[in-house]
Structures are given as C-alpha cells and as structure tokens.
Amino acid sequence: MPLMVTRPTEFTRRGFLSALGGLAALPAFAGSGLGASLLSSSDAPLFASAFKKSAGGYGIAVLDDLGQIQAEISLPGRGHGIAVSDTGDCLAAFARRPGTFAIVAWPFSRWPMQTVVAAPGRHFYGHGCFSKDGRILYAAENDFASARGVVGVYDVSGETIIRLGEFDSHGIGPHEALLSPDGNVLIVANGGIETHPDHGREKLNLETMSPSVVFLDVQTGDTLAEHRLDRSLYQLSLRHMALDGAGRAWVGGQFEGSKTDTPPLVAIISRDEAPVLLDLPEKLVGQLENYIGSVTATTDQSVVATSAPRGGKTLFWKAETGDYLGHQNISDGCGVAPIDKGSFLISDGNGGVSYLSDPGERAEILARPAGFAWDNHMTALRI
C-alpha cells in the first residue's frame, strides 16, 4: 500500500475563491509523485477521505483546503471512516462493514504504514477513535457468531500493532465510537442491526432492532450510562456522532422502517440526561430519505452539520440550543469536515469537494478530481 504524494499547491483558499469568479468547478491539480516528507512542508489545513476510482481501486486521499489531492494511500477494499489522533500525527482508516482490514499511517513521518487484520470471528464496522495520548486505538467490531458488538483495543505505540483485547459494546452493530473530551469515557453508537459476513450486508433483525448509545469507562469497559430511544423508534439505527462544546453526542439516525414514516433523524444524547430529539423544519420533512450519513461540528463546536446524501441535503444546527440554521443542496453530499470556527468542507459521491463559509451562504465547489468518488466521511487531519 504505497503512499503517493503530489506537489502541494501554493495559493490560499480565499485567493482561490476570488479567482474562481463564479465557475462551478475546477479540475484537481495532478502533480508528479514526490516523497512523503512533503506533507510536513507547510502548515496548511489537510483532510482525509476514503475514495473509489472509476477505473477501479480504493484508497484514502489526503486533501488540502482547496480540495486538491496531496497524497494517496491504496487500500485492498472499500474504506469508510478515518480516525485521527489528537496529536494529528497518526490516522487509522477502517474497512467498510463487513471488511476485516484497517490501516494505521503516520503521514507526516517516514514510519511505515501498518495493516491491522480483524481477530478471528470479528469484522470492522468502519469506525474507531484514539485514546487521548494517541497510544491506543479503539475499533467498532462485530463478534458475528453471537451477534455481539465489541470494541477492539489496540496498542499502536510500538513497531508492531498489538490487539490488547476488547470491550463489550453492550449492543448490536456498534458503528461510530468517540472519546469524551477528558479522555476517560468511550461513547459508542450501537446501530442495533444484526449482520453476518456469510450474508454480506444483509440486515437480519429489522423487526427486533434495539439501537442505543452507551458510555463506557475506557480503562475497564464498564457501562457508565446507556440510552435507548422510545420503543416506537426501535428501527431508527443510531450510527454517526459528533461532540458539541458541552460534551454532548449529536447522533444521526438511519431509519429502517416504512418509507412513508417521517421520524426524527437527529438526537442529542448526554451521559446523565434523557435523549433530546430534534424536529426537522416542515419544508424538509420527508425530503431526507430517512438517512443521515455524517455528523460533525465546527472547531469551536458551536455549529453541527448533519448530511443527508440520499436527500441531497446537508443541514446545520446551533449546538447550544438545537436550533436549525439552514441547509445546503449538494447531490450525494455526505462527508463533512470542519475548517475553522464557521467553515466546512463537504465531499460528495460525484467527486466534488465544496467549501461552505457560513450555513446561510451558498457552498462553492472547489474541485472535482476526475475519476474519484468520495466515500461517506471526510476527516480533518490538520486544521
């Protein structure tokens, strides 16, 4: 899995947008292959996303804040989510369910990448997170013989990655996992859907789903709190999360019930309070295909973005109050990453990368690299 680095661009996003002059897109710059050390040659913001190429093949791309691809990491199959350590020097990319590989890379150094293979009887769910000091990687996994969710615990601090063990996720189908701001609590969204690799991505228990969000002690795996929605929402699979400034988890749901139903799709869940469900504005009810694809927050955690790729919309919320701020129409837009206190990059399945400076303003397409289709998530690697 080689790391291929392209020549960095030398202009700013502000200057680029000024020069754009209303154009709808700009082809991505295709530089020559260069050494990996160039990723550390400037302090420009960088982002990472899984991709698929139209010519075949999967990988992870590192992009700058102009949507220009700076590096590529080849993957043996389709990737999904990317975790980045608090120090920003290490990333982990996970296979999409029911894949059994993850890669750990240090993109700003010459340390070799390492491949993690899921333990026997386990597969990854596409997400994970690092401990506060970056030495431990937590991965959402499936113990598929018993339909039991687990969190794999890996030591990534040495020359060889070691699987130390696992925690019970206390649910079925753990998806995204986040670390609390103090580093002491692991927050896990259990999607509630049973799957088995013998059945591919088939959902085996739609009539008996039981999604939840749990708060676990990172040292022991003990349950500190567990939240489930009202029984009437048992088919609202809780998948993706982001933390706001108060440490609350904003959770996006994917509804597996009737297509004619219009349940709430976003919840705010904290350790010691009952879940708060947010109402969609009337004009968007029934427009999101009952599917939230990604959740993220600005760097100051004051604005939360929830993408609905099937509905072609990305919604924005005021984190403190839960008030709806507006939305953008972006076809198949799913990956969302913060740039600063008020700005986002948004990637889409058509290969586009858009810049949004304010929820009330129109997003600008920065780049559309030929032959690339971005996967569901974009992660800030360096801001």
Side-chain angles (χ1 to χ4, degrees):
M1 294 179 289
L3 174 66
M4 300 179 292
V5 178
T6 56
R7 187 179 305 279
T9 52
E10 298 178 353
F11 39 88
T12 66
R13 181 176 66 254
R14 184 180 297 275
F16 176 77
L17 286 174
S18 177
L20 199 60
L23 294 177
L26 184 76
F29 175 75
S32 57
L34 298 170
S37 62
L38 282 179
L39 276 183
S40 59
S41 65
S42 76
D43 59 359
L46 292 173
F47 306 85
S49 177
F51 65 78
K52 178 183 179 180
K53 287 187 175 179
S54 59
Y58 297 93
I60 299 296
V62 177
L63 306 92
D64 64 17
D65 59 342
L66 301 174
Q68 308 296 306
I69 297 173
Q70 303 297 306
E72 295 178 34
I73 301 172
S74 298
L75 295 179
R78 181 173 173 177
H80 190 66
I82 298 171
V84 178
S85 65
D86 271 8
T87 59
D89 60 350
C90 184
L91 67 82
F94 298 91
R96 184 191 193 214
R97 173 183 67 82
T100 56
F101 72 86
I103 65 103
V104 179
W106 292 262
F108 304 110
S109 77
R110 296 187 179 277
W111 292 359
M113 286 181 293
Q114 296 192 46
T115 301
V116 179
V117 178
R122 307 287 186 268
H123 69 67
F124 294 118
Y125 270 108
H127 287 278
C129 64
F130 286 91
S131 62
K132 200 72 173 175
D133 61 8
R135 297 171 61 88
I136 302 298
L137 177 66
Y138 303 99
E141 300 178 5
N142 187 15
D143 171 6
F144 48 81
S146 58
R148 179 177 68 102
V150 300
V151 178
V153 182
Y154 298 83
D155 184 343
V156 298
S157 64
E159 293 185 2
T160 302
I161 296 174
I162 300 172
R163 192 178 196 272
L164 301 176
E166 62 187 34
F167 298 150
D168 195 317
S169 79
H170 301 279
I172 295 174
H175 202 71
E176 189 145 24
L178 300 177
L179 196 68
S180 64
D182 63 9
N184 295 326
V185 179
L186 194 65
I187 307 166
V188 182
N190 288 304
I193 299 175
E194 179 184 350
T195 61
H196 192 290
D198 288 350
H199 299 273
R201 291 177 56 79
E202 182 181 354
K203 299 164 185 175
L204 304 174
N205 69 329
L206 293 184
E207 297 306 316
T208 58
M209 289 172 56
S210 184
S212 66
V213 172
V214 297
F215 294 72
L216 307 176
D217 186 301
V218 295
Q219 299 298 325
T220 65
D222 292 343
T223 303
L224 303 174
E226 180 181 46
H227 294 285
R228 299 179 187 274
L229 303 180
D230 184 84
R231 182 58 189 165
S232 64
L233 295 173
Y234 78 99
Q235 289 184 307
L236 183 63
S237 180
L238 302 175
R239 298 289 190 92
H240 298 108
M241 299 184 293
L243 299 182
D244 65 17
R248 303 178 301 174
W250 284 64
V251 190
Q254 299 175 6
F255 188 60
E256 300 294 340
S258 171
K259 293 183 179 180
T260 61
D261 290 348
T262 55
L265 299 174
V266 180
I268 305 174
I269 299 179
S270 56
R271 175 174 163 179
D272 300 319
E273 297 178 8
V276 175
L277 294 167
L278 301 184
D279 293 325
L280 292 173
E282 187 68 29
K283 63 183 178 181
L284 293 182
V285 172
Q287 301 297 307
L288 306 185
E289 300 290 335
N290 283 339
Y291 185 101
I292 297 297
S294 288
V295 184
T296 196
T298 49
T299 56
D300 66 356
Q301 298 174 304
S302 65
V303 176
V304 175
T306 57
S307 64
R310 296 182 180 179
K313 292 174 172 50
T314 302
L315 284 64
F316 302 91
W317 312 81
K318 186 174 181 179
E320 184 178 4
T321 62
D323 291 340
Y324 168 76
L325 296 176
H327 73 275
Q328 293 286 317
N329 294 314
I330 298 178
S331 177
D332 201 20
C334 195
V336 188
I339 293 181
D340 51 35
K341 292 182 179 181
S343 305
F344 295 97
L345 284 189
I346 304 173
S347 60
D348 63 59
N350 302 309
V353 178
S354 300
Y355 169 68
L356 180 69
S357 61
D358 183 274
E361 297 182 4
R362 182 175 177 272
E364 299 278 0
I365 299 178
L366 297 177
R368 197 179 296 280
F372 278 75
W374 301 113
D375 212 274
N376 294 50
H377 304 289
M378 179 174 284
T379 302
L381 181 58
R382 180 176 67 193
I383 301 178

